[in-house]
Amino acid sequence: MLASPLFGLWSNHRPRREPLAVSISILVAASVLYAYVHVPASHNKYYMLISRALVGFGSGNVAVVRSYVAGATSLSERTGAMANISAFQALGFILGPAFQACFTLIGEKGVTFQAIDLQVNMYTAPSLMGALLGIVNIILVFAIFREHRVDELGRQISNVNYENEEYAAEINSEESVDQVAVVSSNILFFVILFCFAIFETIATPLTMDMYAWTRSQAVLYNGIILAAIGFESMVVFIGVKILSKMTEERILLLGGLVIIWVGFFILLPWGTQFPKIQWTDIQNNTIYNSSYWLSNTADYSNHTVEPTGCPPVQSWCFYTPVIHLAQYLTSDILIGIGYPTCNVMSYTLYSKIIGPKPQGVYMGWLTAAGSIARTLGPIFVSQIYTHLGPRWTFGILCGIVAVSILHLSVIYKRLIAFSVRYGRV
């Protein structure tokens, strides 16, 4: 959230190779620090937090990447290029957990290199692989990456940071960009990322509460589901590239939001079947039918197995109907269609609204809006879901998405390309 606008500003005034190399170097340093967290004699958790904070800061280079793609493509190429970037990002989300699963074969002990105090085990191997990939990326940035900039018709621009003189007076004017459209795009992107952050955060506790899955089952099954959604997203990215040639990005964005709304609406609890209640800590509960619960928990009096089901501390477990597995899977499929569609369309429309003006800072704000959403999403889940249950959680989400659809309808005509707005294209 903090780094994206800074790296974006840097890329507006200097060659993009610089912020890319520095940000990736920060990621490499963070990964190495993670691998050595066990070495200090004390305060290890603080070194862990520093490592994670550096990872977050280094990841701010997403704004640089998106702004480069926006500046290096014409209007007709933009959607396809943004879809490609998003597809590879989705591929990374799929392959990352897969590599981590493979590294479990190394075991907890692994191999220790005494000379450099390095333990290579199932916990440190993923971070060391991240550091290695970062070094490879830095080499590629200097060896392969070339600055390239075109105008919205695809004509080469010699200066990669600033526009030709004949456009300078108009384009460098802050008023030339439709600020209402810019702010609206940031709001819509925030909602899209907020919904997805809640969706991926709530998966484990929801399935453990509704289907009495153990922690390991929830991690395994949801990992498989999220991997399947990742593959589904890649198919959607390909479909978006095809559909964008037949219809407008605004229509696809609106359609994606509608699909997300339907996905959350399906998750609303209904029926007369209720989730299984955990047996832990029910023995002293006198509010509900104690004899019934005690009779069902008698077999577990030794407390040697992991409690499964909806915990009684969540009072809504006793009166909220279960969300059926078919509902959950259907919702996963729909959100797996709606989210990637909205993601690509948001970046594409945003870049076109800004136009030929250097987009580093603008892309930084958009990325920051997404980061704020991913920060607030888990907080929302921990408060609303835990205390009020899925009915309130998904009901509020349906309301938020419905307001966003209404908002999009109101500013629909303003979400047009800069060049179209000024009659150049």
Side-chain angles (χ1 to χ4, degrees):
M1 181 182 68
L2 299 176
S4 295
L6 297 177
F7 284 128
L9 180 64
W10 189 352
S11 71
N12 273 2
H13 298 283
R14 295 290 299 170
R16 291 183 178 88
R17 183 181 287 113
E18 293 177 9
L20 285 175
V22 169
S23 60
I24 298 171
S25 298
I26 292 173
L27 289 171
V28 171
S31 298
V32 173
L33 176 59
Y34 185 94
Y36 278 96
V37 161
H38 66 282
V39 174
S42 62
H43 305 300
N44 306 77
K45 62 184 178 183
Y46 298 112
Y47 294 108
M48 172 72 78
L49 286 172
I50 292 171
S51 169
R52 302 311 300 160
L54 288 174
V55 167
F57 198 85
S59 299
N61 60 19
V62 172
V64 181
V65 173
R66 302 276 185 181
S67 66
Y68 172 77
V69 172
T73 56
S74 65
L75 285 178
S76 60
E77 298 170 323
R78 190 77 49 80
T79 304
M82 289 292 186
N84 288 341
I85 291 291
S86 298
F88 275 90
Q89 190 175 21
L91 182 62
F93 283 126
I94 296 169
L95 294 180
F99 279 116
Q100 183 164 309
C102 293
F103 286 136
T104 57
L105 299 175
I106 300 175
E108 292 188 356
K109 187 175 181 180
V111 179
T112 301
F113 297 91
Q114 297 288 353
I116 56 176
D117 274 336
L118 179 63
Q119 293 181 7
V120 181
N121 54 35
M122 62 185 287
Y123 302 115
T124 61
S127 66
L128 292 172
M129 179 181 179
L132 177 62
L133 290 175
I135 293 170
V136 171
N137 266 330
I138 293 173
I139 294 172
L140 291 175
V141 164
F142 285 101
I144 305 296
F145 180 76
R146 295 292 179 269
E147 296 283 355
H148 178 71
R149 187 162 175 77
V150 299
D151 64 18
E152 298 196 331
L153 293 175
R155 296 172 300 194
Q156 184 73 35
I157 296 176
S158 56
N159 193 318
V160 296
N161 295 115
Y162 301 101
E163 312 304 324
N164 294 335
E165 290 182 4
E166 61 266 27
Y167 298 114
E170 179 182 354
I171 293 171
N172 289 332
S173 171
E174 195 68 26
E175 291 75 25
S176 62
V177 178
D178 188 344
Q179 297 299 323
V180 173
V182 168
V183 173
S184 296
S185 298
N186 276 278
I187 293 172
L188 289 171
F189 189 69
F190 170 87
V191 170
I192 292 164
L193 266 292
F194 182 73
C195 289
F196 188 75
I198 291 174
F199 171 74
E200 63 179 357
T201 304
I202 208 172
T204 297
L206 179 69
T207 51
M208 290 176 67
D209 293 344
M210 293 292 125
Y211 315 124
W213 289 353
T214 62
R215 285 190 295 271
S216 59
Q217 286 176 325
V219 170
L220 174 62
Y221 298 154
N222 282 303
I224 295 171
I225 290 171
L226 287 174
I229 291 174
F231 282 111
E232 179 191 14
S233 298
M234 296 186 67
V235 175
V236 172
F237 290 133
I238 297 172
V240 164
K241 291 173 65 175
I242 298 172
L243 287 174
S244 65
K245 297 176 182 178
M246 307 176 191
T247 186
E248 292 185 30
E249 286 91 354
R250 294 177 296 180
I251 295 175
L252 291 174
L253 177 59
L254 181 60
L257 281 172
V258 171
I259 292 173
I260 290 175
W261 183 88
V262 174
F264 283 119
F265 182 79
I266 287 175
L267 281 176
L268 291 173
W270 56 274
T272 57
Q273 183 180 346
F274 296 90
K276 173 193 171 186
I277 305 297
Q278 272 187 18
W279 48 263
T280 306
D281 298 329
I282 291 183
Q283 284 85 340
N284 297 325
N285 191 325
T286 58
I287 299 176
Y288 301 100
N289 190 337
S290 301
S291 60
Y292 174 80
W293 300 118
L294 285 171
S295 66
N296 278 273
T297 59
D299 295 335
Y300 304 107
S301 57
N302 56 9
H303 288 197
T304 57
V305 295
E306 177 185 341
T308 59
C310 207
V313 293
Q314 298 175 169
S315 59
W316 56 263
C317 292
F318 293 95
Y319 57 80
T320 303
V322 71
I323 297 173
H324 299 277
L325 185 59
Q327 288 177 265
Y328 180 66
L329 295 177
T330 303
S331 175
D332 288 344
I333 293 171
L334 290 174
I335 293 174
I337 296 172
Y339 169 71
T341 302
C342 291
N343 187 289
V344 175
M345 291 304 105
S346 296
Y347 276 114
T348 304
L349 275 171
Y350 191 68
S351 66
K352 290 184 176 182
I353 289 167
I354 298 166
K357 188 181 181 72
Q359 300 192 7
V361 175
Y362 281 103
M363 284 294 176
W365 290 123
L366 190 69
T367 305
S371 298
I372 295 171
R374 294 183 70 92
T375 302
L376 295 180
I379 297 174
F380 178 90
V381 170
S382 66
Q383 297 300 315
I384 303 300
Y385 175 78
T386 302
H387 295 101
L388 300 178
R391 180 171 283 156
W392 276 94
T393 301
F394 300 124
I396 291 173
L397 282 176
C398 285
I400 292 173
V401 177
V403 171
S404 300
I405 293 171
L406 180 61
H407 177 209
L408 175 57
S409 302
V410 172
I411 54 99
Y412 186 85
K413 293 183 178 180
R414 303 190 73 146
L415 300 181
I416 56 175
F418 182 94
S419 297
V420 173
R421 184 168 177 249
Y422 284 98
R424 294 184 192 169
V425 178

